Amino acid sequence: MEKLFLSISQKIQVNANTWVITFNETLKFYPGQFIMIETPKLVRKPFVLGRWDKRLSISVQVKGEGTKWMVEKASHLKCHGPLGKPFDMNQGKGLFISSPTCLTLANILKENFDVDIIIGSRTPLLLKIPYETVIGDKKFLKLLKSLTGYDWYLISGSVEMEKVVYKTLKGKKLYFSLEEFMGCGIGACKSCAVETKNGIKHVCTDGPIFEGDELCW
Amino acid sequence: MLVKPPLILLSGPAGFGEWFELINPSVIGALTLKTITLNPKSGNKPPRMAEGRDYVINRIGLENPGVTKFLGMLDDLRRLKTKIIASLGGDSIDEYEKIAKIVKPYVKNFDAIEFNFSCPNVEKGGLSIIGDLEGWRRIIKTIRSILSDSFLIAKLGIEGIFIEEATKFLVESGWNGVTLINTVRGLHFDGDKMILGGLSGPILKPIALRAVYEVKNKFPDIFIIASGGIYNFEDAKEFLRVGANAIGVGSALFKDPEIVEEIGKKLLEVIHKND
């Protein structure tokens, strides 16, 4: 972990409320790790690290004042990282099911693992991506029910989406990337607690990726 | 207690020293560790934190490993290159006495011991320990007699009793310092979800300034650690002006650990100028 000062290279709009931000700098990190980014708000926010056009990048879903500032005004970002446990899955073929907010993670997974990618979005994408894309909830559910032949699945999206996937694919080897409000990102404040079958764990140090069967749905 | 520079990372947000991977410990005077209780606590169910326009609200629920495991961490804590203040709490008046006795043989590992008196009193309906004034006045005397050689600090909130009055009882019982102020009870809506917790952040600054001012006026000799909405050196200077002996930072770490380092550097510059 180190202090970082990243200069923004590009901001690319992906759908109605999601952007990819690429940086000029390089950083050694592992799939699943994240950085805490400062915005005009009081608490830094976590963003999963990834790749876009071979550059270090993050995906940003505009949710409020801080993320709006990031996509509209920011030219440099103060942050710290990389943080979190790397996702290490070198066995068999996997499938990454994600909302557009993890497009950049999809790219880094593709670099590291034997994995197919499906991007599910409620609204149409504004750019072409090299992955299968499903628009709308009904089509997404239909696709989920048809999935076979993968050794593991990694899912990243809204809580609702993750619940639907868990219910539909239960019994398979499932991993979920979780989001919880974080104060520090480094294990100091204990704010990002998540209830698991093995007791309270913390998204910043035990995650952000957890096995589906470990979580209390 | 000499804290140089007079900057303290506060109990809770400061964890057990994790920030020293990002902050140079030589610009931090002391670290107050997370509050430790007699038994381990797994803390509250999530969500545990949210933020509003000028505040952070938290309901961590004192997650901590309990005193036995904590004492096993002392070798690692001693390696931190700053002064260490232990923070102790409990679910009842009894637990404060028990934990003070357990920690007594280890007090040399700490530069001071802070008691967090905002913990909920489980035996008395969940209000803070200080809400039972008779019991609290008794326990501060007992703690003083058990930890007779320690630099004792009380962390006080503004609810339950006027902070000057609480300080008066502490002074009478021979305590050395107070941390002013702890978080203030608040309620925050996160969409439809209601979060009941303790407020910190800029919203506390005028309240904390007044608390330090009043206590310093009445008890000029007590050591005051100011805590509440300190986000830059200008904030720190205001607290020093009203009588703080040391500046505490907590939630500001979540905004920018570099700013905290800046405050430390500037406080050191002031000390060097006055030397």
Side-chain angles (χ1 to χ4, degrees), chain A residues 136-149:
Chain A
D137 292 346
K138 276 187 186 169
K139 279 186 185 167
F140 181 68
L141 197 60
K142 197 176 161 192
L143 178 89
L144 275 187
K145 286 177 177 165
S146 72
L147 292 174
T148 53

Side-chain angles (χ1 to χ4, degrees), chain B residues 5-26:
Chain B
L7 179 64
I8 295 175
L9 302 188
L10 293 167
S11 181
F16 290 106
E18 293 86 346
W19 289 102
F20 291 132
E21 269 192 66
L22 296 170
I23 297 173
N24 179 355
S26 69

